[in-house]
Amino acid sequence: MNRVLSFEEAKGQDRFMLGGKGFGLVEMTSIGLPVPPGFTITTDVCKEYYRGGGNVPSGLLHEVRQKVEEVERRTGRKFGGTPNPLLFSVRSGAPYSMPGMMDTILNLGLSDEAADWLAGHSENPRFVYDSFRRLVQMFGKVAIGVDGELFERELEERRRRAGVKMDIELSAEELREVAQKFKEIIRTRSGREFPQDPHVQLEMSIEAVLQSWNNPRAKEYRRYYGIGDDLGTAVNVQTMVFGNLGDNSGSGVGFTRNPSTGERDLFGEYLPDSQGGDVVSGARTPVSLSVVEPAIHQRLLELTRTLESHFRDMQDFEFTVEKGTLYLLQTRNGKRTPQAAVKIAVDMVEEGLVRPEEAVSRVEPEMLDALLHRRLDPGPADKPLAKGLNASPGAASGKVVFDTDEAAEIGKSEKIILVRPETTPEDIKGMIAAQGVLTVRGGMTSHAAVVARGMGKPAIVGCGDVEISQDGMSFVTRGGEKVAEGDVITIDGTSGNVFRGEVKTIEPEPSPEFWRLLQIADRFKRLGVWANADTPEAAAKALGFGAEGIGLCRTERMFNAPDRLPIVREMIMSKDSEERKRHLYRLSPFQLSDFTGIFSEMRERPVVIRLLDLPLHEFLPPVDELLLEIEKMKEDGASADEIQATEAVLARVRQLSEHNPMLGHRGCRLAVTYPEIYEMQTKAILRAAVEVSRKTGKDPTVKIMIPLVAHVGEFGFLRNVIEKAAAEVLHELGTKMPFQVGTMIETPRAALTAGDIALQSDFFSFGTNDLTQTTFGFSRDDVEAKFIPKYIETGILDRSPFDSVDVAGVGKLVKMAVEQGRKTNPRLEVGICGEHGGDPRSIALFHEAGLDYVSCSSFRVPIARLAAAQAAVAKSSVTTA
Amino acid sequence: MNRVLSFEEAKGQDRFMLGGKGFGLVEMTSIGLPVPPGFTITTDVCKEYYRGGGNVPSGLLHEVRQKVEEVERRTGRKFGGTPNPLLFSVRSGAPYSMPGMMDTILNLGLSDEAADWLAGHSENPRFVYDSFRRLVQMFGKVAIGVDGELFERELEERRRRAGVKMDIELSAEELREVAQKFKEIIRTRSGREFPQDPHVQLEMSIEAVLQSWNNPRAKEYRRYYGIGDDLGTAVNVQTMVFGNLGDNSGSGVGFTRNPSTGERDLFGEYLPDSQGGDVVSGARTPVSLSVVEPAIHQRLLELTRTLESHFRDMQDFEFTVEKGTLYLLQTRNGKRTPQAAVKIAVDMVEEGLVRPEEAVSRVEPEMLDALLHRRLDPGPADKPLAKGLNASPGAASGKVVFDTDEAAEIGKSEKIILVRPETTPEDIKGMIAAQGVLTVRGGMTSHAAVVARGMGKPAIVGCGDVEISQDGMSFVTRGGEKVAEGDVITIDGTSGNVFRGEVKTIEPEPSPEFWRLLQIADRFKRLGVWANADTPEAAAKALGFGAEGIGLCRTERMFNAPDRLPIVREMIMSKDSEERKRHLYRLSPFQLSDFTGIFSEMRERPVVIRLLDLPLHEFLPPVDELLLEIEKMKEDGASADEIQATEAVLARVRQLSEHNPMLGHRGCRLAVTYPEIYEMQTKAILRAAVEVSRKTGKDPTVKIMIPLVAHVGEFGFLRNVIEKAAAEVLHELGTKMPFQVGTMIETPRAALTAGDIALQSDFFSFGTNDLTQTTFGFSRDDVEAKFIPKYIETGILDRSPFDSVDVAGVGKLVKMAVEQGRKTNPRLEVGICGEHGGDPRSIALFHEAGLDYVSCSSFRVPIARLAAAQAAVAKSSVTTA
């Protein structure tokens, strides 16, 4: 068993054994970089410690003492001894970074005697006693368990008495007294003495770090980030070096490339005569590494090249210069902005540092999102007024307008934000005119959310922090701030934050490296990436982002336009089939031109058109509005006829309204009862395909999709309706046009009986939004605000199943359906067109389940391309490993 | 291959080969009963006919001719020849009865010559020519394909000219002329001659019958009843005998036992000097078999005993007496009333005719339902006014009352029917006071439906045929009939029919045989049969019907009582946890007394208590009512404070209302957000259990059930809440009380992840109502009226998945969950407590899936006991076969 290894001995051990910090130190040591000597107590020790019921494994301290002696021999100094005492730091270091969760103790080895010796020989005795009082304080708190508050109170009292504000303003003597006082606190509170023996200090510190692995906040952190409790932490014991020993000393942090832009230049800051934390504390102003003295600059440039060629990624490192000698104290892969991540990945391929498939895996797909939307750059004065659901990313500013008609008018000349309780198709004209939308109610699939995403406009929905006044002329936030019509606000659809006034924004400008990365990704991905698009404009945008087809064209969304809406409403309210057909055929020319536009745009690429899945309730006037209208008509003395007409509308709305519209008379169910709807649509689709084919000489690839199938009988019935209508229209046009008929898999029953359905179906497309709703029994509009946050807080769920597909439940159904469907129909094409189609975690599952493609909104196509490549690379590396 | 078999030769062949009619004839022949000689063309011929593209198999007609010759030899008469011509009937006969769907031709062998000879030698020449014209007519229509309407028109013209009303009033000569005219119609319409050759008649008739297997109505009938298209029909060719040859002739139908009561006596009717159909035509009045002449009576009694001892079931037979000789023309198992079915099954066991397990399988379990509910006995004048969903069986009459408070008042002294748009818990007092309930809206799980079933009161819901007037003082039916408050109506919850006035009803009185049959059933069933019961009274009733435990005690139903409802409403409307706890603890004493009552009733039998699954929307005042109330308050000049208070209620109701309450914040989700609810309930349950234990010295068997789990994390979280509350209360009481904690499986995800959940759960109980809703994505309240009927009509579904569990989808999930659950927890107890628990088809599936018990409403316990026994008997006979 590996227990205590010097940085030299540990060479070749992995991150799980050494922890992240230890791994960096060992690697740097192995390539000859200047690392202060020390050793790592491996994670195995931590595991053994807990297996043994929290006892330091026997013999460990003996090994530690041997390693200390090794360091003493190498440095020629004595641990805690004079002259020039050797001091150690003890730091935790788990395999995955858990910043600030576990304990650290510095300056181990200082004692009354050593401190006095050092103070006497130092140019800065105040620093020596400050270091000593810090040791006593940290040790007292961490290793002995005295309440830290007591030390703080003592310090406060001292500052008050000395009339200063900062600890460092206290004199050397005062600090010396503080240290003595701290020892007294330890004695009276714990009945124990602060140990003067450096070995006792070290051993107690090591055990304290081991214990800190299981402190409550560390456990909580691991649970939240899904880090295993059994990984354990390593403990790093390292010689202290000091950057505060005069002008030829100092400390700094560096990045091997610019973490903001990705440019290949040394980036970082340095503070002469300082210790580690001082650089970032803000008390003194550090200098840029680019203007640091030439010798150090040159040394750092060399280090940068060595670090990158070894670690093959951009590094974030810490260093200290002690009397002219440079030491590296830490290195790790550097955090970076999305732009930088993309540029670094692509550049490193070109520099030959990483293989293309590695570069693909280096960029978090979600990061690309930030590069595609106008985004906020809030300053310190910009505090959010309210927060809602981040329904459609991007940022926008404008004057608040509450009324849709007004919005349509004002929006012609001014930037506006439409603020509504929630939106309906009536609000489309207002949304078109607005820069962005804010609604009080509604969830991530509400009308406002879906339409705004389709338009690529920022939207915040379900913003319960905001209450619209009775007169509809202002809103008040939970914090009591009032915003009146005409006031300017800024909404950030990426974060869900609402700000007062105009907040600075940054334009999206995907770099050449952005497109280059996607080209590289395309070489590895197996999944096709298609887009959800309902209009020719959306189709063009999708192509621009590299979509290979349209996986979902929602015909009900085509009805949202103001010139179509009244007809749709009349169609829904129709009392019989004749009336319904009349209204349907008025919609037919609109559909024809929509489809013609989309087919023209997409050429021979596949286009999956989903037949009508009308959310009736979105197209009907609300019952309470009608009720109040009737009351008002009565008050205003309207005629009996007028009142009766409105009452008739009310009666029909009541008849059509449903207890649970999500589980109601919609999708293919509506089409089984009113087959004329799909007849009209099929004819319009094929008419458009023929028109485009005649114009361009190329046949569109037409795929007609039936929504919400739960039973193979529904599919068979409607496939007949479609094929009959197709035969009629093609006969009339005197031509042929190949087309496929497939189904959404969006009910558990469809997935459970996929084998039967596949016998009759040319393709499947998973609708994982609906499938998630029914598999869990969660209505997204109801649960996202009401209890999902509580579920995440209590750890019942890691994340909302609407954000990433639920593997154990929904994922199981997806895999079953693919397997059973392909068994009965080996030529079955399988895709997914729910919102999960653009989610990287979900894409990994879809890759594994063997889907042919994912389809997502245009703006997520780049993300999906990258995620699909990562899934393929990860899978193949697993397979070949 | 078996093709053409005389009734003697066919002995030992089965019903699938011979068809039902042929099987009866062959069996009767084989035991020496007097059957006119003939032969059966087997179903194999029909199959061969269709396999050959609709051609009579070669050689068949030769075999038929040989059989005809055999009959000629046996009877000493010649087919169609004189003197005394031998005539045949040709009848279809499929393995399963398809009454009236296929064709029959009688009197084959008659020709002009034979008819004239017979007329000359008969006492009734008119009958002879009538028979001849019938042959020509049937043959023309069925075998030649002439439009039957033409013959009917000719007859009508003849009657008009002769000035008579019925065909039989025409003279012999007139009928002879009709036959000639019919031949002419055939000639002019088809260009073919009516064949005088009897063999040609026979051969064409046989082919016509074979063809009729695939006529549209026969196909439709098979599709509807699920009869395979490939079974084919047999064709029975039999010597005609005549009961209309004078006073010592006649025909009749008989039952070997009374089909109405099951009494063991000869039952039936006889009409002297008549042919088969005359008995039931009503033109002349037949006599009861009990007063028929002694010789025939004696002969029939003997036949009865022979038939029963051979067929071992009650027989329905047809006979003809030709000049003193009795012939049997048909026998089959007789249809019977539910009472008779039970009595006959039990009696036959006692008579040693059938084994007990056979008797159990002889009674359709659904039949028992009729024996447990007061039922209607409508006369011919009672036409239904309207029809709704048959939500709760039984019949009731009373005065119509529309207002709940009035109902509670009037109901004290008079019989009333409560008529409401739909009911809410506010209406409970009205429902208690009423004989039955009629609602305009709502489905089979609506408040009205569930509460009425729980009370055992008749209810019709979702009766859209009825519209309540604006003033709420009358309703008008779709047929335009007006019913005012105070008018008497009768509702039949078994059929869904509403009648004007009081319709005669019959009291339920389960016979001793009813209880005896259930005792027999209990010897065979493996499944336990438990009941759903929410009150001590319901528990007592369930025990009376033989329930072995309570599988579902719905605690939310306990809150329906008028003294609790206001507290529940306040609890729901609570703004914070403190307020909620206050109201909850006001409910605690009620719960305590409920549980104490139920445990006392059930002694040591298991009681599964489902913690709160509150349908919030049922307990909240509707938004539109509040809106109108506020408008009215304003009009009436109410104070600002009053108006504000109501507006606050409205705001809270809006906040709590959900888009899809079925998929919303309910069940265990509410408990995760407000754990105090389950804490209170757990404490009340255990307090009650301890109280009962101390009083009786026996521990109740307590099973606490968590509703609507979708994720094992929900279960784990709430199990902790429950165990903590239990520990607290038991510590306080200073005692111990064993209890189990289990879960409903009512979301697809729970079923898909059952293995994980079973690790932590003591038992599962399937909630197949909810599971069906989410598996299909069907909201029961919305789909049952809107499209399920259309689905059944188009053949997409055989029946509503809410009536019988869907095998391919929901059944698959049930089986998966049982299998995976038992794999991780072999001691897991598994039951079902949805409404399917009382459905015989579903019970068969649950038996097969290996469940431990089914739980259903009290009134269905007997049905479930019988169905469970049948499932076990069927399974074991399959296993041993």
Side-chain angles (χ1 to χ4, degrees), chain A residues 56-70:
Chain A
V56 174
S58 73
L60 181 78
L61 298 181
H62 179 70
E63 290 173 45
V64 166
R65 218 168 262 233
Q66 286 179 323
K67 292 297 164 197
V68 168
E69 283 166 17
E70 256 182 60

Side-chain angles (χ1 to χ4, degrees), chain B residues 51-70:
Chain B
R51 266 201 306 275
N55 289 307
V56 174
S58 73
L60 181 80
L61 297 181
H62 178 71
E63 290 174 45
V64 166
R65 218 168 262 234
Q66 286 179 322
K67 292 297 166 194
V68 169
E69 282 166 20
E70 256 182 60

Side-chain angles (χ1 to χ4, degrees), chain B residues 479-499:
Chain B
E481 295 213 45
K482 183 173 168 178
V483 176
E485 177 138 314
D487 289 359
V488 172
I489 62 170
T490 298
I491 62 170
D492 181 4
T494 311
S495 68
N497 284 323
V498 183
F499 299 90

Side-chain angles (χ1 to χ4, degrees), chain A residues 422 441-442 470 617 623-625 627-628 631 635 647 654-666 668-670 672-673 675 708 710-711 713-714 717 747-753 756 773-783 786-787 790-791 794 796-797 806-810 812-813 816 820, chain B residues 422 441-442 470 617 623-625 627-628 631 635 647 654-666 668-670 672-673 675 708 710-711 713-714 717 747-753 756 773-783 786-787 790-791 794 796-797 806-810 812-813 816 820:
Chain A
E422 55 193 332
R441 293 195 291 273
Q470 287 284 353
H617 58 290
V623 165
D624 48 3
E625 272 183 25
L627 266 174
L628 291 180
E631 284 299 306
E635 271 174 46
E647 279 175 347
R654 275 199 204 273
Q655 201 178 8
L656 288 170
S657 74
E658 295 183 301
H659 295 83
N660 298 283
M662 195 60 74
L663 306 179
H665 195 193
R666 52 178 282 235
C668 68
R669 302 159 192 177
L670 209 61
V672 169
T673 37
L708 214 69
H711 193 289
E714 296 171 314
F717 180 91
T747 64
R749 198 178 185 286
L752 290 163
T753 61
D756 295 338
Q773 295 199 96
T774 42
T775 301
F776 277 83
F778 283 1
S779 155
R780 186 169 186 180
D781 283 338
D782 296 312
V783 308
K786 284 197 175 150
F787 63 84
K790 175 82 179 187
Y791 271 37
T794 52
I796 291 173
L797 294 175
D806 156 56
V807 176
V810 177
K812 193 170 187 175
L813 282 177
M816 275 175 64
Q820 293 177 14
Chain B
E422 54 193 334
R441 294 196 291 273
Q470 287 285 354
H617 57 289
V623 165
D624 48 2
E625 271 182 25
L627 266 174
L628 291 181
E631 284 298 307
E635 271 174 51
E647 279 175 345
R654 276 200 205 271
Q655 202 178 8
L656 288 169
S657 74
E658 296 183 299
H659 295 84
N660 297 284
M662 194 61 74
L663 306 179
H665 195 193
R666 52 179 282 236
C668 68
R669 302 160 191 178
L670 209 60
V672 169
T673 36
L708 214 68
H711 193 289
E714 296 170 316
F717 180 92
T747 63
R749 197 178 186 287
L752 290 164
T753 60
D756 294 339
Q773 295 199 99
T774 42
T775 302
F776 277 83
F778 284 0
S779 155
R780 185 169 187 179
D781 283 337
D782 296 312
V783 308
K786 282 195 177 150
F787 63 83
K790 175 83 180 186
Y791 272 36
T794 53
I796 292 172
L797 294 175
D806 156 54
V807 176
V810 177
K812 194 170 187 174
L813 282 176
M816 276 174 64
Q820 294 176 14

Side-chain angles (χ1 to χ4, degrees), chain A residues 48-59:
Chain A
E48 204 184 339
Y49 178 82
Y50 284 105
R51 267 202 305 276
N55 289 307
V56 174
S58 73

Side-chain angles (χ1 to χ4, degrees), chain A residues 484-502:
Chain A
E485 176 139 314
D487 289 358
V488 172
I489 61 170
T490 298
I491 62 169
D492 181 4
T494 310
S495 68
N497 284 323
V498 183
F499 299 90
R500 188 185 288 281
E502 190 160 347

Side-chain angles (χ1 to χ4, degrees), chain A residues 477-548:
Chain A
T477 68
R478 196 177 287 258
E481 295 213 44
K482 184 174 167 177
V483 175
E485 176 139 314
D487 289 358
V488 172
I489 61 170
T490 298
I491 62 169
D492 181 4
T494 310
S495 68
N497 284 323
V498 183
F499 299 90
R500 188 185 288 281
E502 190 160 347
V503 176
K504 216 177 108 197
T505 58
I506 301 165
E507 271 294 344
E509 39 191 25
S511 59
E513 287 88 358
F514 176 89
W515 300 113
R516 180 82 191 99
L517 181 70
L518 293 180
Q519 279 171 351
I520 298 175
D522 287 350
R523 285 164 44 195
F524 297 100
K525 75 183 175 59
R526 182 190 60 68
L527 280 169
V529 176
W530 301 9
N532 303 345
D534 313 328
T535 59
E537 297 72 40
K541 193 184 289 167
L543 286 176
F545 283 123
E548 300 156 54

